Amino acid sequence: MKAVVLTKSGPPEVLQVRDVDKPIPRDHEVLIKIHAATVTRGDAILRRLNPLVWVLMRLFMGFKRKKVLGHELAGMVESVGKDVKLFKPGDEVFGTTSGLAMGSYAEYVCLPEDGKYSVLAPKPSNLTFEQAAAVPIGAMTALHFLEKANIQNGQEVLVYGASGSVGSYGVQFAKHFGAHVTGVCSTANLELVRSLGAGRVIDYTEEDVTESGPTYDVIFNAVGKISKSRLKKALKQNGVYVSVIGSMAKETHEGLVFIKELCESGEIKPVIDRRYEFEQIPEAHRYVDQGHKKGNVVITVPYAN
Ligand SMILES: NC(=O)c1ccc[n+]([C@@H]2O[C@H](COP(=O)([O-])OP(=O)(O)OC[C@H]3O[C@@H](n4cnc5c(N)ncnc54)[C@H](OP(=O)(O)O)[C@@H]3O)[C@@H](O)[C@H]2O)c1
């Protein structure tokens, strides 16, 4: 099968299309024919990670450097191991190779049906493979941090970095939970963030949100481009600050099934900025490296025969 292989750490050109062995599912694994993947901010960070850091991550956290990057995917189950219960051949699925397992820049991937190294669920029936691939990480991350903040109906919630992948889902979940949402983004994204459900938008190029005084019950720093100490000035007394920086979101099968249902009811929708062909993954990385994608960048994986 074809895969986009990380030949060494470095700029986008280190990613190259190669022929690699098609994986064979073990007893507890599902073999998925991937129809679409994404390039996330995390993929871009891992691509350029210093090899020494990989060694330390392997020693202290057990993460191995993988040849094939890519976390998010949507596709069809081709075959399953004998112990798999949740899926069968022909099922359309979406999910993520969780826990830095990686491998979605390929025509096929084998994943455990559920557990530490994958989160899979039936694909939302109303979404295309490309749309579905753009959901899992951003949506599960936003859901995790807003639940951690114990978000409540009627609260004032600020989503800082509302136009990125995590932020765009953050606005939609906050709205779903009944909050009054303020989204912070740049001028070009004001309309997008409004359309996602923010009742108020703040252009960070024009206004300093930290000068508005104590205003918010919950502040979700969804992009990590501003310090905790600055943002906390805008928190009400007893308000809660949560951030994508500093801890990993918990990704669960139940969470992804909940997200699937919200996609199907139309409450949550992916924002897709750009689409690239499989061979254009280096170009997609170049774009993501700029740090200004709106929502998600999707990769179409060619159909293997
Ligand atoms: N903790 C976890 O488990 C977890 C999980 C997933 C992701 N993350 C982290 O979460 C962060 C966001 O990920 P993502 O995928 O959502 O990123 P992303 O989509 O690449 O973020 C891009 C967005 O950031 C906005 N942005 C850039 N500079 C900004 C600034 N100074 N102020 C406000 N917005 C700004 C851009 O809007 P403009 O063009 O308008 O500037 C753009 O829309 C990353 O650091 C990622 O590594 C953490």
Side-chain angles (χ1 to χ4, degrees):
M1 70 165 184
K2 299 273 183 231
V4 172
V5 168
L6 181 68
T7 54
K8 57 182 176 182
S9 294
E13 296 71 40
V14 302
L15 296 165
Q16 292 175 10
V17 180
R18 297 270 167 88
D19 286 311
V20 302
D21 291 340
K22 182 177 169 182
I24 298 166
R26 288 183 285 178
D27 291 349
H28 63 295
E29 287 182 339
V30 177
L31 173 67
I32 301 163
K33 182 180 277 188
I34 299 174
H35 289 235
T38 62
V39 174
T40 64
R41 178 80 80 82
D43 296 344
I45 293 168
L46 291 172
R47 186 203 73 230
R48 50 179 186 258
L49 207 62
N50 186 316
L52 190 63
V53 179
W54 277 114
V55 172
L56 294 174
M57 282 170 63
R58 182 172 187 166
L59 280 177
F60 295 107
M61 296 154 84
F63 295 136
K64 288 185 199 158
R65 183 171 189 249
K66 293 288 166 59
K67 274 178 134 180
V68 181
L69 293 182
H71 291 85
E72 289 180 305
L73 61 106
M76 194 178 285
V77 174
E78 185 167 285
S79 63
V80 298
K82 71 176 176 53
D83 297 336
V84 170
K85 295 187 174 55
L86 297 175
F87 303 103
K88 59 181 188 320
D91 285 351
E92 294 183 349
V93 294
F94 76 142
T96 172
T97 64
S98 202
L100 294 188
M102 302 179 248
S104 71
Y105 294 177
E107 287 181 321
Y108 293 90
V109 70
C110 277
L111 295 176
E113 63 176 337
D114 187 24
K116 192 174 170 192
Y117 294 112
S118 81
V119 179
L120 288 175
K123 178 176 85 61
S125 55
N126 59 330
L127 299 189
T128 63
F129 286 108
E130 291 183 1
Q131 290 170 323
V135 174
I137 293 181
M140 283 195 284
T141 303
L143 182 61
H144 168 88
F145 285 107
L146 289 174
E147 284 183 338
K148 187 176 168 189
N150 193 23
I151 186 169
Q152 299 292 323
N153 187 33
Q155 283 186 321
E156 292 294 333
V157 173
L158 180 83
V159 179
Y160 193 96
S163 54
S165 177
V166 177
S168 60
Y169 290 111
V171 171
Q172 295 179 79
F173 276 117
K175 174 91 177 162
H176 166 76
F177 289 119
H180 304 290
V181 189
T182 300
V184 182
C185 58
S186 68
T187 320
N189 294 322
L190 294 173
E191 269 321 303
L192 167 71
V193 172
R194 234 181 240 123
S195 76
L196 296 173
R200 189 165 162 251
V201 286
I202 295 175
D203 182 344
Y204 71 79
T205 67
E206 299 281 340
E207 190 180 332
D208 185 347
V209 63
T210 66
E211 286 177 357
S212 55
T215 314
Y216 301 101
D217 300 292
V218 173
I219 293 182
F220 179 27
N221 187 352
V223 76
K225 295 281 181 184
I226 182 169
S227 70
K228 179 177 177 176
S229 56
R230 278 188 65 204
L231 266 187
K232 276 189 142 185
K233 290 183 196 160
L235 262 188
K236 286 182 189 169
Q237 203 179 9
N238 300 324
V240 182
Y241 171 88
V242 283
S243 171
V244 289
I245 305 300
S247 67
M248 294 280 282
K250 194 169 170 204
E251 300 179 337
T252 65
H253 175 73
E254 294 69 32
L256 193 57
V257 170
F258 174 62
I259 287 164
K260 164 200 180 300
E261 286 161 4
L262 290 186
C263 287
E264 289 175 341
S265 67
E267 282 185 83
I268 297 291
K269 60 182 181 201
V271 173
I272 296 181
D273 182 348
R274 293 187 178 189
R275 292 171 166 79
Y276 291 88
E277 297 294 320
F278 191 63
E279 290 75 11
Q280 295 176 307
I281 284 180
E283 206 175 306
H285 268 250
R286 214 165 286 123
Y287 180 61
V288 172
D289 276 354
Q290 292 168 20
H292 293 284
K293 70 179 166 66
K294 302 174 206 294
N296 304 278
V297 168
V298 169
I299 303 299
T300 307
V301 183
Y303 203 78
N305 291 306

